[in-house]
Amino acid sequence: MLRCYFLWVGLFFAVPGFAQPLQEPVPFLLEALNDKQQLAEGVSVTIVGVPDSVVQKTIVTDEKGVALVEDLPPGSYVFKFTGVGYQVHVSPVYTFPITPGSQAKYTATLLSTAAMMQDVTVIGSRPFVQHVQGKVLINVDAAVTNAGTTVLELLEKSPGVMVDKNGTISLQAKTGVLVLIDDKPTYLSGTELSNLLGSMSSSQVDQIELMANPPAKYDASGNAGIINIKTKKNKQKGFNGSLTVSGGQGRYYKNNNSLVMNYRNGRFNSFLTYSMNLNKYYTDIYAYRRYFDPAGNLLAVLDQPTYFKGRSFNNTLKTGVDYYLSDKTTVGFTFTTVKATRKGDGQAEATWLNAAGRVDSAVATYSNSHNRFQNTGLNFNLRHSINKTQDLSFDVDWLNYDIANQQLFENRLLSAGGYSEASKGNIPSGIHIFSGKADHSFRFGKNGKLESGWKSSRISTDNLADYQLLDGNQWQPDLGKSNHFLYTENIHALYSSFANKFNRISMQAGLRYEHTSYNANQLGNPARKDSAFSRKYQGLFPSGYVSYQVDSAHSLTFTAGRRIDRPAFQKLNPFIFIMNKYTYQTGNPFFLPQYSWNMELSHQFKELFTTAVSYSTIKNYFSQLFLTDTAGILYYSEGNVGRVHNVGVSLTVQAAPLKWWSFTSQAIFNHKELKGYLGNDYSSSIDQFNINLNNQFRLNKIYTAELSGFYTSRARNDLQELLYPTGQLSIGMARPVLKKKATLKISMRDLFYTQAMEGLTQFQAADEYFILRRDTRVFNLSLTWRFGKPLKTIKRAGSGAGDEMQRVGNG
């Protein structure tokens, strides 16, 4: 097996050797400077045809503020520069090929968004979706209807992303996504991850990166790839910031606000991002469960309407300081904290019907809950530029999650002489994470780059489930459901990757090694024996791509990689979580990792069309498990069920049919086959389709508008659960106010209230139809005000180490 992995990586290195030498095109140089004539790194440059407005490609300025334009077909073009903290800048028209002897360079001076918008041509904003360097970038502020949303709601309407009723996120119809925030893992999944993303305002976010086949420097976790949420951080000198105030009304009120500030002077750079949202919510669930005898005859029906409502109050803070120790070295410190509280109550009525449809009995359940989610994180980072070709970086992170959940249930039999019973649970959870990593990069030749690094992390969790039953007027321990679970996990990783460009061939090959070990201990009580289990495993995870520039308009790219998904810490805990009288959730201590191979061949025509064909196979596939007992109680769990094969075809179109209208559309078709064993051999398949459309309209020089939506056909993520079609349509409008220092946005999400989660679950001797609705139809009004003043400095000649300082960057 190891020989196969190394042979696979060796093929990537060997590909350039078979390439025939081609004539090197003459590049056109683009340079980006800020209004103080300092180099601007990470600025996106979109090349737009004139007069047809067709986007040819998007490139990004490097650490020297430079981007090269190559392989443009003959014609006329403008270059549109966009970046965080900068006003959009458009160059004059250039005709290609460049006449011999003409200056093959254009320098753009970008003005701060805090400055008055004078003497600059602005045409629109960054496109909603960009394909850059093997990633799909979603520019959050480019969509008016993103205003006033949470990050979780933002993901729900992002191209190729789905979020199910349990908070599980899928990418390109595949579950098992690693979610990063500013390149750092959250170490959460399911409900805990949903709570974290639901507590963050979308106005904090600059971009979302979607990576189906990430390079080796990223963790190998995530069968479907990585979603990297990049928060806003302004690097301009002086004091700059923005304030967003947003209010919305659905069935209940919504309020999302954020503040982003940055101050940079001399060798210091400090930043702060704060968001607060206060929302009232509801969840309306209807479930219709049928029970059958071994011959398939209907025995009984359980009809369960449930309604939850409550309030959430969330605060998120991220602040830090970067200090340039020298022209080659910078150190940084970042502090993050999230505090989210959610209080709610619910009412449900479970009605038992016999096979003839007559009522047998009915039980009403009244519940209330108080959830608290608190996260604290510290990061120390160091960046050092050894010389013009080598960089070294170190990161140390400490994370602490304090999660508390208090529940109270009261069940009443709705009949003469009926009973009343009550139970309560205190379910705290603590997660402590410490990680460190080091990365080294070496640039050689014109385009060569070698990267290598190490990472180690230690995760420990402490989960308590303390249940009590009301006995008369006294609360007594419910030892049968109570549980105390301790878990410790260590992961060590090494990686190396190589990238280069030979004429028209670009390639990258990488290999990552990860070793995992964990120890788990379920403490006993008088009614339950203690138990312990441990496991060690390791693996090699190759990844890479080969891209061929056929001509100035067409390119082909093949990507491949092997990845792993580890079970979430809490899902290894064999605890019981009460959902209602007849529905429990439980963990699985025998849960194993799942492994996947992902491959994709894509073709890109300019930036107009991108088509792709993909294939993935997953071993030890994660799926929900649904079990019933003799009392009719349904147990939700998760485990490994077998294999999944997924074949996908996608098409992305970005076009501007008219000067005032541009759109981005992505359509994805997937054929899935799921095979596994759950007492019996199970096999299921599904053809599913997803389309996402974003229209941008420029009504005049002042107003912009948006019409966007998505539709997902029948889908299947779990072996036993079929999801029915869903989708939504949203509209919005924006205009500048306050002398163009602020932007006012009005939007309406889920206009026709169609974003329901509906489906059918099948398990042994029973099935269940369900539909879940939330407060998704929301009218929102938001105002974003940009403030600050760039630092006034005396213009002087740059130092000889200017390149090194720009390369150092910050954390």
Side-chain angles (χ1 to χ4, degrees):
M1 181 65 71
L2 290 177
R3 294 171 63 184
C4 293
Y5 290 146
F6 287 113
L7 176 61
W8 187 91
V9 175
L11 287 175
F12 273 94
F13 285 90
V15 167
F18 296 100
Q20 296 298 318
L22 297 174
Q23 184 177 359
E24 187 76 14
V26 178
F28 184 86
L29 189 67
L30 297 175
E31 184 179 50
L33 305 175
N34 62 22
D35 49 9
K36 296 304 173 187
Q37 300 302 299
Q38 297 159 337
L39 302 178
E41 177 187 355
V43 175
S44 296
V45 184
T46 304
I47 305 173
V48 184
V50 177
D52 56 10
S53 297
V54 173
V55 176
Q56 287 287 329
K57 62 174 68 175
T58 299
I59 53 182
V60 180
T61 60
D62 60 17
E63 65 272 8
K64 298 181 181 180
V66 170
L68 294 178
V69 180
E70 300 178 291
D71 300 324
L72 279 183
S76 298
Y77 305 93
V78 294
F79 306 107
K80 184 167 69 171
F81 294 75
T82 57
V84 180
Y86 299 113
Q87 298 177 25
V88 180
H89 177 90
V90 179
S91 74
V93 177
Y94 282 85
T95 301
F96 284 75
I98 299 298
T99 304
S102 301
Q103 184 180 8
K105 179 181 179 180
Y106 175 72
T107 299
T109 299
L110 308 180
L111 300 183
S112 166
T113 53
M116 295 290 291
M117 298 184 69
Q118 298 174 349
D119 302 322
V120 62
T121 303
V122 179
I123 54 171
S125 59
R126 289 188 292 177
F128 177 57
V129 175
Q130 292 176 281
H131 294 264
V132 178
Q133 298 171 344
K135 304 175 184 178
V136 177
L137 304 182
I138 300 173
N139 296 304
V140 176
D141 288 339
V144 177
T145 56
N146 288 337
T149 61
T150 66
V151 173
L152 185 64
E153 292 167 335
L154 178 63
L155 288 177
E156 287 179 326
K157 63 193 292 288
S158 296
V161 180
M162 287 180 58
V163 182
D164 70 12
K165 69 180 189 299
N166 300 311
T168 301
I169 299 173
S170 60
L171 178 63
Q172 308 287 12
K174 294 179 289 185
T175 57
V177 179
L178 175 62
V179 177
L180 309 179
I181 298 177
D182 291 325
D183 296 311
K184 300 185 184 301
T186 62
Y187 297 98
L188 298 175
S189 64
T191 302
E192 289 80 13
L193 180 59
S194 295
N195 289 338
L196 174 63
L197 300 179
S199 68
M200 297 176 61
S201 171
S202 63
S203 57
Q204 294 177 269
V205 180
D206 174 43
Q207 285 183 329
I208 295 177
E209 297 179 341
L210 308 179
M211 293 178 276
N213 280 300
K217 71 176 182 179
Y218 290 100
D219 290 2
S221 299
N223 149 61
I226 288 176
I227 296 177
N228 189 17
I229 300 166
K230 306 283 285 187
T231 59
K232 293 176 179 176
K233 185 177 179 183
N234 195 333
K235 298 180 182 180
Q236 286 187 297
K237 287 196 173 184
F239 175 70
N240 303 277
S242 65
L243 174 67
T244 299
V245 180
S246 172
Q249 183 66 45
R251 182 179 296 182
Y252 300 120
Y253 63 83
K254 321 287 177 188
N255 178 245
N256 290 276
N257 310 299
S258 70
L259 174 67
V260 179
M261 294 191 301
N262 182 85
Y263 178 73
R264 183 172 180 179
N265 187 3
R267 293 187 178 273
F268 280 97
N269 178 60
S270 59
F271 56 91
L272 180 145
T273 302
Y274 170 74
S275 74
M276 181 275 288
N277 58 63
L278 177 63
N279 300 317
K280 189 174 181 180
Y281 66 89
Y282 77 87
T283 304
D284 192 353
I285 306 174
Y286 174 72
Y288 186 81
R289 190 183 305 168
R290 300 183 301 174
Y291 295 86
F292 303 93
D293 65 17
N297 300 311
L298 182 65
L299 290 177
V301 171
L302 181 60
D303 185 89
Q304 298 182 90
T306 305
Y307 187 82
F308 297 100
K309 65 178 181 179
R311 290 179 173 84
S312 64
F313 180 53
N314 309 312
N315 294 270
T316 304
L317 174 68
K318 179 178 181 179
T319 185
V321 175
D322 301 309
Y323 178 64
Y324 294 86
L325 292 173
S326 68
D327 293 344
K328 293 187 176 184
T329 306
T330 184
V331 294
F333 174 80
T334 303
F335 170 78
T336 60
T337 184
V338 177
K339 186 172 183 180
T341 58
R342 182 184 293 250
K343 295 181 179 180
D345 55 72
Q347 184 172 347
E349 186 171 310
T351 303
W352 285 98
L353 309 171
N354 62 23
R358 289 188 293 271
V359 175
D360 180 73
S361 63
V363 176
T365 299
Y366 306 92
S367 64
N368 64 59
S369 61
H370 182 192
N371 301 317
R372 186 190 77 247
F373 178 95
Q374 187 163 348
N375 157 248
T376 302
L378 300 174
N379 166 262
F380 171 80
N381 59 81
L382 183 147
R383 307 287 184 266
H384 178 66
S385 179
I386 300 172
N387 51 43
K388 290 185 177 181
T389 61
Q390 295 188 73
D391 296 322
L392 188 63
S393 65
F394 298 93
D395 280 86
V396 177
D397 288 273
W398 175 82
L399 287 169
N400 182 73
Y401 290 95
D402 181 11
I403 305 169
N405 183 6
Q406 294 179 330
Q407 302 175 323
L408 177 64
F409 294 92
E410 182 182 1
N411 301 310
R412 298 177 185 174
L413 179 63
L414 302 179
S415 65
Y419 65 82
S420 176
E421 61 182 15
S423 65
K424 66 179 181 179
N426 178 31
I427 312 173
S429 178
I431 305 175
H432 312 284
I433 301 161
F434 182 80
S435 70
K437 69 171 187 171
D439 301 278
H440 174 265
S441 67
F442 171 62
R443 293 174 296 279
F444 58 93
K446 183 178 179 180
N447 299 300
K449 190 174 185 179
L450 181 65
E451 295 180 296
S452 57
W454 150 86
K455 180 181 178 181
S456 290
S457 61
R458 178 181 175 86
I459 303 101
S460 61
T461 70
D462 187 340
N463 300 276
L464 177 67
D466 181 15
Y467 286 102
Q468 294 181 313
L469 290 172
L470 185 62
D471 183 7
N473 294 321
Q474 299 291 324
W475 288 102
Q476 300 294 335
D478 187 353
L479 299 178
K481 296 186 180 70
S482 296
N483 176 281
H484 192 180
F485 184 70
L486 304 176
Y487 178 87
T488 302
E489 179 180 271
N490 294 280
I491 301 176
H492 305 288
L494 295 170
Y495 80 89
S496 183
S497 67
F498 168 81
N500 210 338
K501 181 178 181 181
F502 302 85
N503 298 318
R504 296 188 180 185
I505 295 180
S506 301
M507 54 80 64
Q508 182 188 71
L511 185 65
R512 188 178 183 92
Y513 167 79
E514 292 192 351
H515 179 277
T516 305
S517 63
Y518 66 76
N519 294 288
N521 187 9
Q522 181 182 354
L523 304 183
N525 61 45
R528 184 191 296 268
K529 291 183 178 181
D530 61 350
S531 62
F533 54 93
S534 61
R535 181 176 172 82
K536 294 181 180 180
Y537 53 92
Q538 58 191 338
L540 290 170
F541 303 95
S543 63
Y545 72 84
V546 175
S547 182
Y548 178 65
Q549 189 73 38
V550 180
D551 54 32
S552 58
H554 299 268
S555 65
L556 294 170
T557 303
F558 175 75
T559 63
R562 183 177 188 251
R563 303 193 63 77
I564 183 175
D565 271 322
R566 299 175 179 87
F569 320 124
Q570 292 87 339
K571 292 180 180 179
L572 290 167
N573 178 10
F575 75 117
I576 290 179
F577 183 86
I578 300 175
M579 302 176 73
N580 58 49
K581 181 176 175 62
Y582 297 104
T583 309
Y584 293 173
Q585 185 177 8
T586 181
N588 179 6
F590 305 105
F591 213 169
L592 300 176
Q594 68 177 9
Y595 296 88
S596 66
W597 273 100
N598 302 309
M599 289 165 276
E600 181 182 85
L601 176 64
S602 63
H603 166 259
Q604 186 167 356
F605 173 69
K606 300 181 180 180
E607 284 218 357
L608 185 61
F609 296 102
T610 302
T611 55
V613 178
S614 64
Y615 171 76
S616 68
T617 179
I618 306 171
K619 180 183 177 182
N620 291 337
Y621 180 64
F622 289 178
S623 179
Q624 290 191 79
L625 307 178
F626 305 95
L627 307 171
T628 56
D629 64 11
T630 55
I633 295 177
L634 176 65
Y635 291 87
Y636 285 78
S637 187
E638 287 194 49
N640 309 100
V641 296
R643 280 186 176 271
V644 170
H645 300 275
N646 189 331
V647 178
V649 179
S650 66
L651 170 65
T652 302
V653 181
Q654 298 183 85
L658 301 170
K659 290 184 177 180
W660 51 269
W661 173 34
S662 64
F663 72 87
T664 301
S665 178
Q666 183 182 63
I668 303 172
F669 171 81
N670 287 90
H671 174 75
K672 280 185 177 181
E673 291 187 357
L674 302 89
K675 297 180 180 180
Y677 180 81
L678 290 173
N680 294 299
D681 289 328
Y682 272 79
S683 179
S684 61
S685 64
I686 190 77
D687 293 322
Q688 60 189 68
F689 177 75
N690 172 269
I691 186 168
N692 190 292
L693 179 63
N694 181 282
N695 294 277
Q696 298 289 326
F697 306 97
R698 180 165 293 280
L699 305 182
N700 51 37
K701 293 183 178 180
I702 298 177
Y703 290 94
T704 58
E706 177 191 331
L707 175 65
S708 63
F710 71 87
Y711 169 80
T712 301
S713 70
R714 298 203 317 168
R716 187 184 292 274
N717 290 329
D718 296 289
L719 193 63
Q720 298 171 269
E721 187 170 275
L722 177 67
L723 302 177
Y724 293 164
T726 186
Q728 64 147 269
L729 186 69
S730 300
I731 58 174
M733 184 175 292
R735 63 154 297 166
V737 294
L738 301 178
K739 298 181 180 181
K740 297 184 179 179
K741 289 186 176 181
T743 302
L744 183 67
K745 296 180 180 180
I746 301 174
S747 63
M748 185 78 176
R749 289 187 290 112
D750 195 10
L751 192 62
F752 301 107
Y753 196 47
T754 53
Q755 193 183 351
M757 298 181 185
E758 185 179 14
L760 180 68
T761 304
Q762 295 177 309
F763 36 90
Q764 289 184 334
D767 64 24
E768 181 178 271
Y769 164 81
F770 64 87
I771 183 168
L772 181 150
R773 296 185 183 275
R774 298 173 299 159
D775 203 359
T776 55
R777 182 164 55 187
V778 178
F779 172 80
N780 193 80
L781 177 66
S782 74
L783 177 71
T784 298
W785 173 54
R786 297 170 294 276
F787 58 87
K789 186 176 182 181
L791 183 67
K792 293 182 179 180
T793 58
I794 300 174
K795 187 175 181 179
R796 59 182 184 272
S799 70
D803 289 348
E804 285 76 7
M805 284 194 66
Q806 290 295 327
R807 190 180 302 121
V808 166
N810 47 50

